[in-house]
Amino acid sequence: MRIVSVYLENAIGLLRNDIPSIQLNFDDRRGLIAFIGKNGNGKTTLLENMQPYRVSVSRAGIAAKQFAIKGVRDIVYVIEGKRVRTKLTFGKTEKAELYIDEVLVATGKSDYDAQVTRLFGP
């Protein structure tokens, strides 16, 4: 598995630094990539959100708690030659979408969770 791109909008850890959205493109990057900066600049927020699950990996709770009133986490991966896109939209209700090679294959939390587990493991 390889991460191609990450888009975050209204992630609280970045908003604290006046960064309303960020787009990272790793498609043409080779070698080691490092995130450096002072404490509280959003490094953990970036790393925490570079995964497809609806839960936080290193912090307790669901990923939605890391976003302001409305937020977006949109990530593109390559898995076994296929482009997989996970998109979570946070707001009054959470919207979860999973695309494989640009085809929408899962919507809704339970369907999304099942497909993400199938592709990425538990």
Side-chain angles (χ1 to χ4, degrees):
M1 176 192 76
R2 177 172 61 87
I3 296 176
V4 175
S5 68
V6 175
Y7 173 77
L8 300 177
E9 182 179 305
N10 290 328
I12 293 170
L14 297 174
L15 283 174
R16 288 184 191 132
N17 293 287
D18 296 322
I19 303 170
S21 66
I22 190 165
Q23 171 78 45
L24 303 173
N25 185 349
F26 302 108
D27 208 17
D28 57 350
R29 304 282 191 250
R30 299 290 181 254
L32 180 66
I33 297 171
F35 295 105
I36 58 172
K38 295 178 182 176
N39 288 349
N41 278 5
K43 300 177 302 294
T44 301
T45 297
L46 284 172
L47 291 173
E48 176 73 23
N49 284 287
M50 294 175 71
Q51 50 89 12
Y53 304 97
R54 291 187 315 105
V55 297
S56 294
V57 175
S58 65
R59 298 179 179 169
I62 59 172
K65 291 183 179 180
Q66 293 185 24
F67 288 83
I69 295 168
K70 181 180 182 212
V72 176
R73 181 174 80 194
D74 194 343
I75 309 170
V76 177
Y77 308 85
V78 172
I79 301 173
E80 296 177 2
K82 294 184 179 191
R83 288 179 83 85
V84 175
R85 177 181 175 207
T86 62
K87 183 176 181 184
L88 296 173
T89 305
F90 309 104
K92 290 183 181 178
T93 60
E94 182 181 319
K95 185 176 180 184
E97 300 171 316
L98 179 96
Y99 301 80
I100 297 178
D101 288 336
E102 304 301 323
V103 175
L104 182 63
V105 296
T107 59
K109 295 177 187 178
S110 61
D111 191 26
Y112 175 90
D113 290 346
Q115 293 298 326
V116 163
T117 300
R118 182 182 66 79
L119 287 167
F120 295 91

